[in-house]
Amino acid sequence: MKKIILFFTMLMLCGVWTFSQGRVITGTVTDDSGNPVPFATVTETGTKNATTADAVGKFSISQKGTGTLTITAIGFSSQTVTPSGNTVEVVMSRNASELSTVVVTALGIQRTRNSLPYAAQQVTGESVSNTRSANAASSLSGKVSGVEIRQGNGIGGSTNIVIRGTKSLANSNQALFVIDGVPIDNSNTNTTDAVTGRGGYDYGNAAADINPDDIESITVLKGAASTALYGSRAGNGVIMITTKKGSKGLGITINSGITFGSIDKSTFAKYQNQYGAGYATSGYGGPAPNGGFFYFDVDGDGTKDLVYLQRKMLHMVKSLIQT
């Protein structure tokens, strides 16, 4: 009897050991049309045990239990299958929500993303208004590929938006702003000194007048094919802004924001303004070669000298020369 019990115990231990080793499951991943889905991720559900299909959709995974497998791929809805043997065929369906994403294109036309023959990237209004900024255009920084945003550090300063690099050395490279189908000039109106880096004033541009809380979505149109409907003004690309529409009901929303700025006085240029000759077209004693100095013979050698004196000392020197 003991031998029989020992025999069945050994059989149970062998079964447990065999079960713990798992099984190798192979299979293929295809779409609705029978085409392979390359590089799909196959995961044993509830574990970190995973593998990746190859370029033709084939995979092999060592399953430790008898549970299900979860298959995911970009553009497809995830699938969960229960293998009945050592092979499995997985058919994945495309994610209709991603393919049917509506994008507002030129002239306010709404198109699905997968039907666009050109590059267009959309940003929601929430992602722009969450990060409070004095200029809605600067909120696009880091959110759209191929867009370079240059912003000054002054309060209310202009923001330059360049799409896909500089295209002209002489003319403006600013993108055209279109708000609800109306083109907006976003050119800089800074003074000549500010443009050449010699001081002056930065008056900002029209993009600063856009309230981020009123934006429903922002679509960036890149390339000539996407901006042809707006003509030559859109040669540098288009920033298309769609504002929120009214709805029934009270719907009161209060938003507030404030921006503080400070200037480090230690970065100011150091000027000598305590003692100086000032500025003048001629000097005392006749036209001087360097205006602003007194021009007279101070040492009696018969040659006029360029002299700077404080006014209270001028009369004493003049009286000494005359005597």
Side-chain angles (χ1 to χ4, degrees):
M1 185 68 182
K2 292 183 179 180
K3 293 183 178 180
I4 296 175
I5 295 175
L6 180 61
F7 175 74
F8 280 105
T9 303
M10 293 297 294
L11 287 178
M12 292 176 61
L13 291 175
C14 291
V16 172
W17 181 83
T18 304
F19 177 79
S20 62
Q21 295 302 307
R23 55 177 176 170
V24 176
I25 299 176
T26 59
T28 57
V29 183
T30 59
D31 59 9
D32 297 330
S33 303
N35 299 318
V37 178
F39 310 115
T41 302
V42 181
T43 307
E44 185 176 356
T45 307
T47 68
K48 297 182 179 180
N49 182 26
T51 187
T52 303
D54 58 16
V56 293
K58 295 183 179 181
F59 68 92
S60 175
I61 185 173
S62 178
Q63 188 181 20
K64 298 180 179 179
T66 58
T68 60
L69 298 178
T70 302
I71 298 91
T72 58
I74 298 176
F76 294 87
S77 300
S78 62
Q79 296 285 345
T80 301
V81 296
T82 303
S84 58
N86 293 334
T87 60
V88 63
E89 299 289 336
V90 181
V91 179
M92 304 190 69
S93 59
R94 293 190 176 275
N95 193 336
S97 61
E98 291 186 5
L99 295 177
S100 60
T101 302
V102 177
V103 178
V104 180
T105 63
L107 299 181
I109 301 173
Q110 293 185 349
R111 300 278 296 276
T112 55
R113 185 182 298 277
N114 63 325
S115 65
L116 293 178
Y118 49 77
Q121 191 168 352
Q122 187 168 346
V123 178
T124 62
E126 293 181 357
S127 62
V128 174
S129 59
N130 285 341
T131 304
R132 307 303 302 181
S133 174
N135 196 325
S138 62
S139 301
L140 292 175
S141 180
K143 296 182 176 65
V144 183
S145 61
V147 176
E148 180 183 1
I149 298 179
R150 306 169 184 172
Q151 183 180 12
N153 56 6
I155 300 176
S158 58
T159 300
N160 302 330
I161 298 183
V162 179
I163 300 177
R164 288 184 173 177
T166 301
K167 301 175 181 63
S168 175
L169 296 176
N171 299 320
S172 175
N173 289 281
Q174 284 283 314
L176 177 67
F177 274 70
V178 178
I179 303 177
D180 292 335
V182 180
I184 302 297
D185 184 12
N186 194 47
S187 300
N188 293 330
T189 57
N190 300 338
T191 61
T192 304
D193 289 342
V195 173
T196 56
R198 298 183 297 168
Y201 300 95
D202 186 351
Y203 294 111
N205 43 16
D209 297 334
I210 304 172
N211 183 10
D213 296 317
D214 294 338
I215 297 176
E216 178 69 24
S217 65
I218 299 177
T219 303
V220 181
L221 304 180
K222 312 170 188 178
S226 60
T227 60
L229 293 177
Y230 293 107
S232 60
R233 292 181 300 175
N236 297 322
V238 172
I239 305 294
M240 180 170 297
I241 298 177
T242 302
T243 59
K244 297 178 181 178
K245 304 299 186 292
S247 58
K248 294 182 179 180
L250 192 59
I252 298 177
T253 302
I254 300 176
N255 294 288
S256 62
I258 187 170
T259 303
F260 291 94
S262 61
I263 299 175
D264 186 3
K265 294 183 179 180
S266 63
T267 61
F268 288 177
K270 301 297 188 298
Y271 295 102
Q272 198 286 110
N273 53 17
Q274 185 174 4
Y275 300 102
Y279 178 83
T281 57
S282 63
Y284 174 81
N290 293 357
F293 290 90
F294 297 105
Y295 194 48
F296 56 87
D297 184 8
V298 70
D299 54 4
D301 61 356
T303 302
K304 290 187 177 182
D305 304 299
L306 293 173
V307 181
Y308 170 70
L309 294 172
Q310 296 183 5
R311 291 188 176 275
K312 63 182 181 180
M313 299 291 297
L314 176 61
H315 298 289
M316 297 175 60
V317 174
K318 289 172 59 178
S319 60
L320 290 174
I321 295 175
Q322 291 175 359
T323 57

